[in-house]
Amino acid sequence: MSNNTTTNIKRGNLVSTRTITMTALLAAMSYVLAFLEFPVPLSPSFARMDLSDLPALIGAFAFGPIIGVMIELIKNILQLVSTSTGGIGELANFLMGASYVLTAGFIYKYKKTKKMAMWACVISSVVMGIVAAIVNYFILLPLFEMFMPLEQLIASFGEFVPFIKTKLDVVLFNALPFNILKGLIIGAIAMLIYKKLTWILKGETVK
């Protein structure tokens, strides 16, 4: 076996070890961030947001879309330990987060430039908004109905946005725009910090 082959094998093992380690670290960060919730503008008090998709987006940019999805999966598996939704909320959260980082990761992988990263954040935010609308309509809102009658649930959103009158209105005028905005905020933060973190995550600088 040549010296070059041995060097390549060692380099591959180092990359694999770094990827596994960074994936675990980012998943842990994502899990912790899930507990730091903020109120959602123009929404009832039970509607909350967090920035737990940020480490997954960073992971998707650094190591590819599949790693981003893995971070989302690990985060939600860890949350099952203290779930109050029987895993339904975690499933919904995974579907929304995975759609976001998978889209962004695939787009950025195509061409790793700052401009492409920006477009990746914008497009993936729209994708997450659409997935969130579907997930809210078929999973999350029915889940909330277990604790609150549908009419009361809709009225709680209508207090902030008067033209919300139906379940579909809640999805179109709250869940959809809110999750697009959430994705854009997380994407903007990622754009600001990713370059500074690349040398830690991958042991190299990024242009």
Side-chain angles (χ1 to χ4, degrees):
M1 183 179 293
S2 66
N3 291 335
N4 287 340
T5 302
T6 302
T7 300
N8 289 335
I9 292 175
K10 289 182 179 179
R11 186 176 299 170
N13 290 336
L14 178 62
V15 171
S16 297
T17 301
R18 180 184 290 274
T19 300
I20 293 171
T21 302
M22 291 299 106
T23 299
L25 178 61
L26 289 168
M29 293 173 61
S30 185
Y31 174 69
V32 171
L33 285 175
F35 290 97
L36 304 178
E37 297 182 319
F38 309 94
V40 177
L42 301 176
S43 301
S45 60
F46 58 80
R48 314 283 289 180
M49 71 164 286
D50 60 64
L51 300 178
S52 63
D53 295 324
L54 176 59
L57 179 60
I58 295 294
F61 279 168
F63 304 110
I66 302 304
I67 294 299
V69 173
M70 286 299 300
I71 293 169
E72 290 283 352
L73 180 62
I74 294 170
K75 174 193 71 174
N76 283 284
I77 289 175
L78 291 174
Q79 287 181 319
L80 286 174
V81 176
S82 58
T83 183
S84 59
T85 66
I88 297 175
E90 286 70 30
L91 173 62
N93 185 276
F94 171 73
L95 292 174
M96 291 185 287
S99 69
Y100 179 60
V101 300
L102 190 65
T103 303
F106 269 120
I107 293 173
Y108 184 67
K109 186 178 181 180
Y110 173 74
K111 190 175 183 181
K112 296 185 177 182
T113 64
K114 187 174 182 179
K115 183 177 180 179
M116 188 61 73
M118 180 187 70
W119 277 111
C121 292
V122 172
I123 295 172
S124 62
S125 296
V126 175
V127 170
M128 181 168 68
I130 294 171
V131 172
I134 297 171
V135 167
N136 271 269
Y137 193 87
F138 291 105
I139 299 179
L140 290 180
L141 290 179
L143 177 64
F144 279 120
E145 287 181 57
M146 297 173 59
F147 307 96
M148 182 185 300
L150 179 59
E151 294 76 13
Q152 185 179 348
L153 180 63
I154 294 171
S156 66
F157 284 92
E159 291 178 4
F160 297 90
V161 184
F163 50 82
I164 291 181
K165 303 292 184 183
T166 67
K167 183 177 174 181
L168 183 60
D169 290 340
V170 174
V171 169
L172 293 178
F173 301 117
N174 185 276
L176 175 62
F178 158 67
N179 279 280
I180 292 176
L181 177 61
K182 175 184 174 181
L184 292 173
I185 292 172
I186 291 174
I189 297 172
M191 291 287 293
L192 290 173
I193 67 175
Y194 176 61
K195 185 175 180 180
K196 298 183 176 106
L197 294 177
T198 304
W199 71 274
I200 298 175
L201 295 169
K202 302 180 69 175
E204 62 186 44
T205 58
V206 62
K207 296 181 181 180

